[in-house]
Amino acid sequence: MVRGLLDGTPGLFSIPVETHIFEHLGLWVDYELRRNIPRDRTFVQVLKSIRSRIERSNEKNSSFSQFGGDSLNSEQWDVDALINYLQENGKTHFEEKNLGEFITAYFQGLYYSLFSEIPPSSMRFVEKSVENAEFAAYLKEIFPDAKFIHVVRNPYATIVSLRKYNTMRGNYPYLGWIIDALENNYYYSIQNPRYIKEYLVLRYEDLINDTKEKMQEVSRFLDVPFDEIMLKPTALGKLWPGNSVNGESFSGVSSNPIDKWKNQINPMEISVINTNLEHILDFYGYEKIFPHKSPLLPYKQESVRNYFANRFYWQISQKRHRAEKS
């Protein structure tokens, strides 16, 4: 949402896909839903990984694909132009382990592959990848002028969204991985501002309910003039249809999704949020709710294996919660 609201702002280029640069580089990503173990990669391997990622973006043509990190219609990238640009402008930086310059070349190459021209030197890039929070300190070291916007959402709403996204792949998912990912994200939302001065945390609900006020706050934080263009999300200047897992399309910022989770969350999801993320509910001022039915009930598309895995995880979570309270 923030990436789309910043799209078209003079002097900014909102990269319309999650670049997952640290994954391409073979760094250790702890965020559970994008987990990547550390590995040494050659320049050729990094280029191959980048090519595969952008080619998949070009092939996006299903309703399922819009619910991921991309917000770009298919077949817009000149993949060969991107790879050639990196060959010419990124290889030396990569071999010299100057990752800041390599990442810059990658972002410039993405711009070049879309517009067939090199971005102006004054261009500032807006990049959103879900695992960026855990690399914020490193990013600040290699890009001293970087600024960070971290969006948090009600944990109950988020677990419903992630569960629905993963259930679209087939079975009802194992919730432990989702909770691990949420813990990672919320942890850095609290820790990073303690040692990174230019780190703004926004509640998604506040952004939706008072978009103008929050985007004025964002514009002051980024030191860019506020523009009415910041009130309607776009991707490369075209209206962004949203990435709702309910299959809805939007013509602008919509408050429709904010409370839908209340009719979609199940007792198990409520319980694992309450036992693992109660402190997040308190910290960000979200109301705690309680299940009205037993978490032992099975759910639609939940396999036998995941049924037992989820109940075991629930029991272990409760044990940990009690220990933390004692």
Side-chain angles (χ1 to χ4, degrees), residues 32-33 159 173-183 272 276 309-310 313-314 317:
E32 188 63 44
L33 301 182
I159 195 173
Y174 171 57
L175 296 177
W177 291 337
I178 293 178
I179 292 296
D180 286 348
L182 293 182
E183 285 185 328
V272 295
N276 291 281
N310 281 327
Y313 177 76
W314 171 54
S317 295

Side-chain angles (χ1 to χ4, degrees), residues 2 6 147-151 198-202 218 221-222:
V2 174
L6 291 174
K147 296 187 177 185
F148 302 87
I149 301 172
H150 193 139
V151 182
E198 292 159 315
Y199 202 101
L200 176 65
V201 180
L202 295 176
V218 167
F221 174 72
L222 296 178

Side-chain angles (χ1 to χ4, degrees), residues 197-253:
K197 182 179 179 181
E198 292 159 315
Y199 202 101
L200 176 65
V201 180
L202 295 176
R203 291 199 334 166
Y204 172 78
E205 295 80 6
D206 297 335
L207 179 65
I208 295 299
N209 287 324
D210 201 340
T211 306
K212 186 169 185 177
E213 178 182 328
K214 288 301 171 182
M215 289 309 295
Q216 287 174 334
E217 181 181 354
V218 167
S219 70
R220 290 192 297 270
F221 174 72
L222 296 178
D223 195 25
V224 297
F226 175 77
D227 193 301
E228 293 292 321
I229 199 173
M230 295 180 179
L231 302 181
K232 185 167 286 190
T234 57
L236 298 182
K238 295 182 178 180
L239 191 64
W240 180 58
N243 65 343
S244 167
V245 291
N246 294 306
E248 299 177 70
S249 293
F250 306 115
S251 59
V253 177

Side-chain angles (χ1 to χ4, degrees), residues 172-176 268 302 306-314:
Y172 186 97
Y174 171 57
L175 296 177
M268 174 61 66
E302 188 175 27
N306 280 359
Y307 173 87
F308 284 106
N310 281 327
R311 275 51 184 191
F312 180 75
Y313 177 76
W314 171 54

Side-chain angles (χ1 to χ4, degrees), residues 20 32 65 87 138 153 194 218 248 259 261-262 276 280 305:
H20 300 302
E32 188 63 44
S65 63
Q87 287 276 11
Y138 178 55
R153 190 179 184 184
R194 291 175 173 167
V218 167
E248 299 177 70
D259 292 327
W261 63 267
K262 293 180 179 180
N276 291 281
I280 295 300
R305 182 178 64 178

